[in-house]
Amino acid sequence: MKRIAICPGSFDPITNGHLDIIERAAPIFDEIIVAVLNNSSKQPLFSVKERMELISEVTEHLPHIKVDSFDGLLVDYAAEVGANAIVRGLRAVSDFEYEMQVASINKKMNDQIETLFMMTNNQYSFLSSSIVKEAAKYGASVAGLVPPVVEEALRHKYSKGELK
Ligand SMILES: Nc1ncnc2c1ncn2[C@@H]1O[C@H](COP(=O)(O)OP(=O)(O)OP(=O)(O)O)[C@@H](O)[C@H]1O
Ligand SMILES: [Mg+2]
């Protein structure tokens, strides 16, 4: 059986913290699907298409990575694409509380799909897409927090006056 894992998230935009999790998960599975949640209740800075393009660019060096998007229930999407695992990153105790709830309900809905947690790399434990956007919005450098292509995309967005 092919071992397929999903790394789900908003990725608005992808950070070095996300990339670190994807890079570490990649050798454990035959295929990783990085799946962008198309969440209509959040007002994103980057469109789903833009987010997917950035993810594809920064994961180009990794084999067996697919980039996709989904809406609705993650377990339904996982079953649809034949995935047997969901990989989530944990930054802090605060992540754990929420993630445990989600993993438990997902397990109840589909017990064929395991949720696996990976501890953040210490250097990225404070890093989130929101923090990066906040910094970039006010012109602070986000070098080292996101890949260079994402840095450039953020500069471009905010130079157009998009203050999301
Ligand atoms: N710095 C990080 N280290 C480890 N895992 C991370 C890091 N940032 C995000 N993740 C994980 O990546 C997955 C997708 O998260 P998500 O897209 O919500 O990112 P986020 O940075 O938390 O964005 P936002 O600030 O919009 O909430 C989640 O499993 C999340 O825990
Ligand atoms: Mg978050």
Side-chain angles (χ1 to χ4, degrees), residues 14 19 22-23 26 32 34 51-67 147 149-150:
I14 186 164
L19 191 55
I22 297 165
E23 282 172 344
I32 300 273
V34 184
R51 284 180 264 164
M52 288 174 66
E53 280 167 4
L54 287 173
I55 297 168
S56 297
E57 281 189 60
V58 305
T59 57
E60 222 170 17
H61 61 294
L62 297 168
H64 319 301
I65 303 277
K66 265 195 196 160
V67 184
V149 62
V150 176

Side-chain angles (χ1 to χ4, degrees), residues 43-120:
Q43 187 62 255
L45 178 63
F46 292 94
S47 69
V48 169
K49 185 167 169 277
E50 288 171 326
R51 284 180 264 164
M52 288 174 66
E53 280 167 4
L54 287 173
I55 297 168
S56 297
E57 281 189 60
V58 305
T59 57
E60 222 170 17
H61 61 294
L62 297 168
H64 319 301
I65 303 277
K66 265 195 196 160
V67 184
D68 197 7
S69 68
F70 73 103
D71 45 31
L73 285 177
L74 177 57
V75 284
D76 290 345
Y77 170 72
E80 201 179 292
V81 296
N84 27 34
I86 295 166
V87 172
R88 299 284 293 174
L90 286 181
R91 279 161 295 193
V93 182
S94 49
D95 271 349
F96 178 81
E97 187 86 34
Y98 170 74
E99 292 292 341
M100 201 174 106
Q101 282 181 8
V102 177
S104 306
I105 191 94
N106 282 345
K107 186 90 190 160
K108 209 172 154 63
M109 290 190 285
N110 187 339
D111 67 0
Q112 300 300 302
I113 300 163
E114 280 299 333
T115 301
L116 302 176
F117 294 105
M118 294 183 71
M119 299 304 290
T120 183

Side-chain angles (χ1 to χ4, degrees), residues 8-11 17-18 21 42 88-89 91 120 124 127-130:
S10 309
F11 303 104
H18 293 129
I21 297 287
K42 264 193 187 175
R88 299 284 293 174
R91 279 161 295 193
T120 183
Y124 302 133
L127 186 54
S128 68
S129 298
S130 311

